[in-house]
Structures are given as C-alpha cells and as structure tokens.
Amino acid sequence: AGKQYGSWQYRGINYNGSHACMWSGTANSLVGMEPPGSNSSGISAAHIGQQGGSATWGQSVYSVLWAGTPESAKVIHPSGWVSSGISDIHTGVQVGTVAGAGELHAAAWAGTAISFVDLHAFVPPEFLTSTASGVEVDADGVIAVVGTGFNTATQRYEALMWRANAIPECATDVDCDDGLFCDGEETCAATGCVPGADPCQPGEICDEATDTC
C-alpha cells in the first residue's frame, strides 16, 4: 500500500531510455526498479505485492515480474516468442501480449514463464490478432480477462473476453512438452497435461542423450 509504479526518463543530452521505478507518494521517494543489464524498462501494472511490465535487453523486449524490489525482477518471457509484455495483474494472474513471426497473441501467466497460456488459442478462427489488457479474479476464483482482437470477417477490431476457473495448463500438446525423450510424449487434455509413456520396449534402456532406446 502507498506505492506507485511506472517509469522515468532523463530527457537531457544523455537520454538513455525509460527506467522502471517506484514512488512512495512524493517525487523525492523515487527508487529505480530496473532489471540488471536492461537497456530500458517500465512497470505498467501492480496488485498485492506484484508489479509487472517489460524490459529491453539489446533488441529483445521481455515480460518482467517484480515483488517490490529491484532485485526481485524476474523475466517470465515464454520460449518461442520474440517479445512479450505484461499489461495488468490481479491476485497472482498476469495478462498481456506476446509477439513473433508476424503474430500478436493475448497471453496469461501465473507468475512463471512455464505457466504461460496463449489465449489466442481460445478465440474464434477468424481473429487474426488478439491482445489482453485487463484481468480480474473474483471471490470464487473465476478469472476474467478482457482485450481486443482483429476480426478478419468484419475487418475491424472487436472486444474480447476470456473466462476460466483457473489459468488453463495447456491449449495444445506443445504446451505440455517437457523436451525430454525418455518420459514419452506429453499431451494436452481438458483436465490439463497428461504425462507420456515410456517410449522403449520392455528390457530396453532409454538414452536421453541420443533420444534412442
């Protein structure tokens, strides 16, 4: 309580981008929240001890989650995407956008990179893009996410809403893949990720290094 978050810029001759920061009600209370090594950063959302936004390292923009101190900065950028950012936070759920290879998708997290959910997987197929801008978790734990998307059928941007009792663990089998050969292929079911089966025949020994039995 009593904290404000955002970013500051020095616009003199030595301008060096935006920097995530925290205030405690006065201009002189400013505390830098920049993740180590980042070129620029900003905080765009905060709720119950968490702050979210993004930071840039070189040309890469990644989603970042803080817990009240500069040292707590944690990158939760999901693998396979070029850039990401957090737009809103509520009760431990973060939402925002991921981009890559001409795609722009609404996203949700539960505090870690591995918890990432591609919300675009749940919109009608005529939507080319989607973004998530707000989230609220009600007293019963129901998560409501709002955003927008471009509908190719109507050729316009339209409001979107997602609702769930929890962040879905997966949308496709790829979301469940742990990258290991010897524990089999994981699959996505309505109840979440289903572990794979041993790929080897009885009596065979699995070699993770060569992905063979």
Side-chain angles (χ1 to χ4, degrees), residues 4-29:
Q4 303 81 43
Y5 303 92
S7 62
W8 68 273
Q9 297 179 346
Y10 177 70
R11 293 192 174 276
I13 296 174
N14 298 318
Y15 169 71
N16 60 349
S18 300
H19 303 277
C21 61
M22 174 178 66
W23 293 268
S24 298
T26 66
N28 291 335
S29 66

Side-chain angles (χ1 to χ4, degrees), residues 65-143:
L65 191 64
W66 289 262
T69 66
E71 297 77 21
S72 67
K74 176 174 65 174
V75 176
I76 61 170
H77 175 76
S79 62
W81 294 90
V82 174
S83 64
S84 61
I86 295 171
S87 301
D88 196 19
I89 295 176
H90 194 259
T91 317
V93 177
Q94 305 84 39
V95 299
T97 306
V98 294
E103 297 176 303
L104 187 67
H105 288 188
W109 296 265
T112 64
I114 199 171
S115 67
F116 162 73
V117 175
D118 183 355
L119 295 178
H120 192 80
F122 303 97
V123 303
E126 61 267 24
F127 280 85
L128 178 65
T129 66
S130 60
T131 62
S133 55
V135 60
E136 182 173 273
V137 183
D138 70 16
D140 295 322
V142 176
I143 302 168

Side-chain angles (χ1 to χ4, degrees), residues 181-197:
F181 172 77
C182 291
D183 63 0
E185 293 186 9
E186 296 78 15
T187 56
C188 179
T191 54
C193 291
V194 178

Side-chain angles (χ1 to χ4, degrees), residues 158-184:
E158 298 178 353
L160 294 170
M161 174 181 282
W162 297 262
R163 291 178 63 86
N165 292 324
I167 290 184
E169 186 176 14
C170 59
T172 67
D173 292 346
V174 173
D175 297 329
C176 299
D177 186 3
D178 63 5
L180 300 176
F181 172 77
C182 291
D183 63 0

